[in-house]
Amino acid sequence: MNLLYKSTRNSDRTVTASEAILKGLAEDGGLFVPEQLPKLDVTMDQLKNMTYQETAYAVMKQFLTDFTEEELRHCINSAYDSKFDTEVIAPLVKVGDVYHLELFHGATIAFKDMALSILPHLLTTAAKKNHVTKDIVILTATSGDTGKAALAGFADVPGTKIIVFYPKNGVSKVQELQMVTQKGENTYVVAIHGNFDNAQSGVKALFEDKELEKELDAAGYQFSSANSINIGRLVPQVVYYVYAYAKLLQNGEIKAGEKINVTVPTGNFGNILAAYYAKQMGVPIAKLICASNENKVLFDFFQTGKYDKNREFVLTSSPSMDILISSNLERLIYTIAGQDAKKNKELMEKLKTEGAYEITEEMKAKLSDFAGGYATEEETARIIRETYADTGYVMDTHTAVAAYVCRQYKEAGNDTTKALIASTASPYKFARSVMTAIDEKYADMDEFDLVDELEKVSQVEIPNAVKEIRHAEVLHTRECDADKMKETVKEILRIEV
């Protein structure tokens, strides 16, 4: 079966998987979605004995049907190799009565590595397939983690350039250092004066700018994206939910067919959407629990059916979730609207012009797979401290938001379903917030002294990603106002401004 993709804002035209990956965003501003969600063609009994790489092939071949087996296996094996500091790629760790799926063992110690290690390989393979002769310019907005993972993935990849925009003062010190010390002749990092939503909206506007597209074309460039708006980012994320279930089964933690709850710390909605896709493929998931920080636009949406970004933007200790426009939610809206591109487009226009939209009761009824919860800053710190005191396990702030929401959900409904938490970043990435949550005495310590203390406390060796930036030279100092992103891109690409 050849699975084709269409835009969430126009169902008339279809493209292949490789074309969707190359484009990143559809020409009408919509996101690419498969015409229908495929089913797994292997049983959990078969999957439970598979390696991560074998599971990745079993899942991804269902979505990327115009890639040959040889091409896809090459992409997978090139991505999931010694860049990860653990052979199993995504270890499962039991913490108290829940299971943490550790997704931060890649080169940049965040879950974005799971998809961004493979995206450059998928993209360059897609370019060859579609006889692309232009250089591909990867344009990305980051709330902290995507940027570094994309930079690391695309650094010095022939035929590509990568430009990353991040909010100045809106990411952790380690996140910023990871980006601004990135090597690579084709890498560019820009701090914008604004928040992540400004960066993300700016990037989307550049994709939709037809005049800029012509100028790029004339200069021998075309845009693509490494954000989770790119289907090539989303598909690899489905893999680890399939893998986690199969491993729980192999370890005797669950019985065949037993349903589990999955809690995901959520900002842009890509990671939890991947879990939803895994459920649609046949993974026995009961509830998908969407965990928000104090920017609880998604929690309010699941409560009321109204998405409203007209609110104060809060800077929290979990900055990768400091987001008020959750781009990937559009893919879910399109699905619950019965794949009605016209209806979806209407709602997205409302979001753009009025900052809010409301779904119908009929659409709301189709959200029964999901539950929402949120954690305040105080609750986030408390669960880091309590979990450490009870188990000795140290988790980062984003994972802590999920852990708190997971606990709340269990207690509120007296729910005894086994629970999986997507553990999205190493505590080393947010050492200051993590250490001060454990004990206030660390509040005035230097960033890297805190890293040393964290090593003692957690009994986990300092990852290479942190060791490397300790004395690394700052290579990127470019900044711009949020409304000057287009000029900045043209300047970088040496196109007449």
Side-chain angles (χ1 to χ4, degrees):
M1 183 194 77
N2 195 21
L3 185 65
L4 295 172
Y5 288 76
K6 52 193 181 183
S7 165
T8 50
R9 301 188 192 180
N10 174 7
S11 300
D12 296 341
R13 191 165 164 247
T14 56
V15 296
T16 62
S18 63
E19 286 173 319
I21 289 169
L22 266 178
K23 287 175 186 292
L25 193 69
E27 278 144 11
D28 51 37
L31 309 188
F32 286 112
V33 283
E35 286 197 298
Q36 67 275 332
L37 284 169
K39 298 286 180 202
L40 288 165
D41 66 352
V42 282
T43 65
M44 280 297 162
D45 212 43
Q46 291 167 296
L47 280 161
K48 73 180 187 189
N49 299 313
M50 288 187 189
T51 62
Y52 193 86
Q53 292 84 345
E54 289 163 344
T55 309
Y57 179 70
V59 173
M60 290 172 67
K61 70 172 185 181
Q62 299 293 91
F63 284 97
L64 311 180
T65 55
D66 67 327
F67 284 71
T68 65
E69 178 173 351
E70 189 189 356
E71 286 168 340
L72 194 49
R73 286 197 189 276
H74 173 73
C75 289
I76 289 165
N77 294 332
S78 304
Y80 305 113
D81 57 9
S82 60
K83 289 190 287 294
F84 287 79
D85 64 19
T86 167
E87 206 179 310
V88 296
I89 308 297
L92 268 171
V93 181
K94 194 167 184 182
V95 181
D97 63 347
V98 297
Y99 305 90
H100 283 233
L101 176 62
E102 291 189 345
L103 300 170
F104 52 76
H105 289 276
T108 76
I109 57 176
F111 82 101
K112 306 290 169 81
D113 289 323
M114 301 300 292
L116 284 164
S117 297
I118 192 168
L119 184 62
H121 301 287
L122 293 174
L123 199 66
T124 47
T125 304
K128 277 192 206 111
K129 278 182 148 347
N130 291 280
H131 313 294
V132 170
T133 52
K134 299 189 201 95
D135 274 10
I136 297 164
V137 179
I138 307 297
L139 206 56
T140 292
T142 185
S143 54
D145 286 338
T146 288
K148 172 60 183 180
L151 288 161
F154 281 96
D156 293 323
V157 170
T160 70
K161 290 186 188 299
I162 175 162
I163 305 171
V164 168
F165 291 96
Y166 75 95
K168 184 79 179 156
N169 304 321
V171 300
S172 81
K173 185 70 181 159
V174 168
Q175 284 177 315
E176 182 168 49
L177 278 172
Q178 281 189 302
M179 288 188 279
V180 298
T181 58
Q182 175 66 51
K183 295 188 175 104
E185 290 298 313
N186 63 338
T187 63
Y188 304 89
V189 180
V190 186
I192 72 151
H193 307 139
N195 60 37
F196 170 71
D197 286 331
N198 301 135
Q200 180 166 256
S201 300
V203 164
K204 275 191 141 185
L206 293 175
F207 270 101
E208 291 168 30
D209 190 324
K210 297 298 174 203
E211 185 194 326
L212 181 60
E213 191 182 340
K214 281 184 200 142
E215 292 178 76
L216 284 169
D217 188 50
Y221 296 120
Q222 73 179 64
F223 279 149
S224 190
S225 173
N227 277 85
S228 54
I229 54 174
N230 192 321
I231 198 74
R233 255 286 297 276
L234 195 59
V235 169
Q237 292 182 265
V238 180
V239 174
Y240 47 74
Y241 292 109
V242 178
Y243 176 79
Y245 188 91
K247 289 303 159 197
L248 285 171
L249 194 59
Q250 187 190 36
N251 300 343
E253 301 285 356
I254 53 173
K255 296 185 189 73
E258 183 181 342
K259 289 192 170 183
I260 61 168
N261 288 339
V262 176
T263 307
V264 186
T266 309
N268 223 0
F269 208 76
N271 202 0
I272 195 164
L273 185 72
Y276 173 74
Y277 279 11
K279 178 174 180 170
Q280 303 305 308
M281 288 190 92
V283 179
I285 294 170
K287 278 286 181 204
L288 296 153
I289 303 161
C290 177
S292 301
N293 63 19
E294 287 182 10
N295 292 292
K296 58 188 184 67
V297 64
L298 286 164
F299 170 75
D300 293 340
F301 169 72
F302 284 115
Q303 294 295 105
T304 64
K306 185 175 185 185
Y307 192 95
D308 188 354
K309 76 173 184 80
N310 301 314
R311 60 183 70 207
E312 186 195 351
F313 183 92
V314 188
L315 287 172
T316 73
S317 60
S318 45
S320 301
M321 298 158 67
D322 291 347
I323 292 172
L324 293 180
I325 303 172
S326 303
S327 271
N328 266 290
L329 186 63
E330 179 170 348
R331 285 185 167 112
L332 181 66
I333 297 296
Y334 173 78
T335 304
I336 62 173
Q339 297 203 337
D340 183 338
K342 191 165 166 286
K343 174 72 182 160
N344 175 68
K345 190 178 179 185
E346 242 168 64
L347 294 172
M348 295 308 128
E349 281 301 321
K350 270 195 144 177
L351 181 64
K352 198 172 179 180
T353 54
E354 297 166 31
Y357 62 81
E358 195 158 2
I359 60 173
T360 63
E361 286 303 318
E362 191 187 354
M363 288 167 76
K364 221 164 137 181
K366 292 181 186 166
L367 289 176
S368 58
D369 287 324
F370 293 88
Y374 75 97
T376 63
E377 285 291 87
E378 191 188 323
E379 288 160 347
T380 304
R382 188 167 78 233
I383 198 150
I384 291 173
R385 186 165 58 250
E386 287 175 1
T387 303
Y388 173 66
D390 295 345
T391 66
Y393 187 80
V394 181
M395 58 183 152
D396 93 291
T397 43
H398 303 73
T399 307
V401 167
Y404 180 82
V405 168
C406 179
R407 183 196 283 180
Q408 286 292 95
Y409 184 83
K410 274 172 164 301
E411 287 171 359
N414 208 8
D415 192 303
T416 56
T417 311
K418 304 259 170 64
L420 180 76
I421 288 171
S423 183
T424 52
S426 162
Y428 279 101
K429 209 150 193 178
F430 305 94
R432 179 166 300 288
S433 300
V434 170
M435 292 305 286
T436 49
I438 287 171
D439 194 324
E440 276 298 328
K441 73 179 184 189
Y442 295 112
D444 298 323
M445 263 192 173
D446 169 79
E447 193 75 32
F448 285 105
D449 290 341
L450 283 170
V451 163
D452 294 330
E453 287 300 314
L454 178 52
E455 185 173 42
K456 289 178 204 162
V457 163
S458 67
Q459 303 285 294
V460 173
E461 192 189 342
I462 299 171
N464 277 335
V466 177
K467 285 180 187 166
E468 281 166 7
I469 58 169
R470 242 181 154 143
H471 307 292
E473 184 191 347
V474 171
L475 301 171
H476 304 274
T477 55
R478 201 184 296 257
E479 296 186 17
C480 79
D481 291 338
D483 61 354
K484 291 282 182 279
M485 287 167 64
K486 180 175 175 174
E487 289 80 351
T488 305
V489 166
K490 287 174 75 167
E491 190 184 296
I492 288 168
L493 298 177
R494 299 190 174 152
I495 294 168
E496 291 297 314
V497 180

